[in-house]
Amino acid sequence: MPHLTTDAREALTGARRRQILEAATRVFADKGYAAATVRDIARAARIAEGTIYNYFKSKEDLLIHIPGQIAGPAFERLALDLAEARTPQDAERHLMALGQDIVQRISANVRFVKVFLSALPHLSPRARREYLRLLPLAASTALEAHLRQGMAVGIYREDLDPSVVARTLPGMLLMFVVIQEIILGERAPSAGYEAVVRENVRVFLDGIRVHGAPYPER
């Protein structure tokens, strides 16, 4: 077997983890968390059951890693985009793209989200702590950095707590889809999620912006 570089080994590990998590997402959505087994997930992933334990400690461990698998790519792109944002208009465009991606991913995985929410109260204290540690923070971290930069140059209000405000928009969008598709049991509103995202992003930015303040070029 040829020797693998560190980068190649990490890429293979990442690919196998994604393969397992994608299978677990399908199995949990189909069977529910309580009825699903690691054997079911291994069968769906077309790997040996023991292989899963090389990457995840338990069925519970699989569950708490899935939200990051679903949302991670969108958040990673946002981190790169917001790092380049120089105006509130730039931020609005990138946040619109993030919002669309968030609602599309949640809507596409709504059956799993329903299972996940129902399973949360039954997680062990260790799993709850681990989930909070793993909670996808790339979006809020990138947004917090952008907010601090904007506050420093006078386009965002000085009285904001960036660490709190940065979590507001993702939370607004998540709750809208959860209420719409899980609590109400309906698909996207007649106006579509694009209008929902647009209004949420604009309300968010209008609430934090110092109106009329320019954003100086670097």
Side-chain angles (χ1 to χ4, degrees), residues 109-165:
N109 292 278
V110 71
R111 290 173 61 211
F112 167 75
V113 174
K114 188 174 183 178
V115 169
F116 181 78
L117 293 175
S118 66
L120 275 178
H122 307 291
L123 292 180
S124 68
R126 181 208 63 79
R128 292 186 190 186
R129 290 192 298 271
E130 183 69 1
Y131 172 66
L132 290 175
R133 187 184 70 80
L134 292 168
L135 191 65
L137 295 177
S140 59
T141 300
L143 186 50
E144 180 178 343
H146 175 75
L147 291 171
R148 291 187 185 279
Q149 179 187 30
M151 291 167 67
V153 297
I155 65 161
Y156 296 136
R157 290 166 31 204
E158 294 182 355
D159 61 328
L160 299 176
D161 182 339
S163 63
V164 173
V165 175

Side-chain angles (χ1 to χ4, degrees), residues 1-165:
M1 182 176 179
H3 176 71
L4 295 177
T5 65
T6 299
D7 288 346
R9 191 179 302 109
E10 289 178 353
L12 286 173
T13 298
R16 179 51 59 88
R17 286 175 65 88
R18 287 191 297 274
Q19 176 188 0
I20 294 170
L21 289 173
E22 287 168 2
T25 303
R26 296 194 302 272
V27 171
F28 288 147
D30 290 342
K31 293 193 169 188
Y33 177 71
T37 66
V38 174
R39 180 174 296 178
D40 293 331
I41 294 167
R43 189 178 300 117
R46 299 183 178 181
I47 59 175
E49 182 176 351
T51 301
I52 290 181
Y53 294 105
N54 292 331
Y55 300 89
F56 300 97
K57 299 174 185 176
S58 62
K59 183 175 78 168
E60 194 176 55
D61 197 32
L62 283 163
L63 181 77
I64 62 177
H65 278 80
I66 291 175
Q69 167 79 8
I70 293 172
F75 291 166
E76 290 166 7
R77 283 196 299 276
L78 178 73
L80 294 174
D81 291 340
L82 277 185
E84 301 298 322
R86 294 292 178 268
T87 68
Q89 291 74 26
D90 288 342
E92 180 175 349
R93 185 173 64 257
H94 296 318
L95 290 172
M96 278 288 297
L98 169 73
Q100 292 292 344
D101 207 341
I102 286 177
V103 297
Q104 287 170 5
R105 287 171 183 272
I106 297 172
S107 185
N109 292 278
V110 71
R111 290 173 61 211
F112 167 75
V113 174
K114 188 174 183 178
V115 169
F116 181 78
L117 293 175
S118 66
L120 275 178
H122 307 291
L123 292 180
S124 68
R126 181 208 63 79
R128 292 186 190 186
R129 290 192 298 271
E130 183 69 1
Y131 172 66
L132 290 175
R133 187 184 70 80
L134 292 168
L135 191 65
L137 295 177
S140 59
T141 300
L143 186 50
E144 180 178 343
H146 175 75
L147 291 171
R148 291 187 185 279
Q149 179 187 30
M151 291 167 67
V153 297
I155 65 161
Y156 296 136
R157 290 166 31 204
E158 294 182 355
D159 61 328
L160 299 176
D161 182 339
S163 63
V164 173
V165 175

